Amino acid sequence: MKLNRNKFGFIFPSTVDKKRVLERGPWAINGDHLVLINTPPNISLHEIDFSTTTFWVRILGLPRELISDKNARKIATKLVKAVDVDKNSLGIFSEAGFMQIRVDIFT
């Protein structure tokens, strides 16, 4: 349902579906970033804080022995607010060759 210019409300059939969509983000539609915010039903649209958005950031060019959860979090806190680290992108045996960090960016 459209709420306002470029703002939409989504209703999920179950809390499991809603949780999965929120946790697997961020999302893009036709190359545009989709900002999903979990809000209680009893607040107005004007009370929703859109000052941050979440992105996955890839850290390239590190020696393989430095690709760790500890270093990912250390790097992320220097840039922005760290939210999550992709555990599959870590370790010296990572095939990807980079770390991936989910961060909140202030808009």
Side-chain angles (χ1 to χ4, degrees):
M1 89 183 92
K2 189 168 184 175
L3 302 174
N4 201 339
R5 183 174 182 253
N6 295 325
K7 294 180 184 175
F8 300 84
F10 295 92
I11 299 171
F12 294 91
S14 72
T15 55
V16 173
D17 290 338
K18 179 179 177 180
K19 183 179 180 204
R20 183 174 42 241
V21 167
L22 290 170
E23 287 178 352
R24 289 190 181 171
W27 300 93
I29 298 176
N30 294 329
D32 293 320
H33 185 64
L34 176 65
V35 178
L36 294 174
I37 299 172
N38 187 18
T39 59
N42 59 343
I43 68 168
S44 75
L45 184 60
H46 301 293
E47 295 176 87
I48 300 171
D49 181 13
F50 286 98
S51 65
T52 63
T53 187
T54 303
F55 287 90
W56 280 105
V57 175
R58 288 185 177 176
I59 309 298
L60 305 168
L62 289 174
R64 292 174 86 65
E65 66 271 8
L66 295 180
I67 299 177
S68 67
D69 185 71
K70 178 183 173 186
N71 286 333
R73 292 183 187 283
K74 192 177 205 179
I75 291 168
T77 57
K78 300 292 183 190
L79 303 172
V80 289
K81 179 183 171 191
V83 176
D84 195 10
V85 175
D86 179 2
K87 303 283 192 228
N88 295 323
S89 72
L90 302 176
I92 61 171
F93 299 110
S94 169
E95 292 181 23
F98 59 82
M99 289 189 293
Q100 190 160 267
I101 307 166
R102 191 165 66 181
V103 296
D104 279 344
I105 306 271
F106 295 93
T107 57

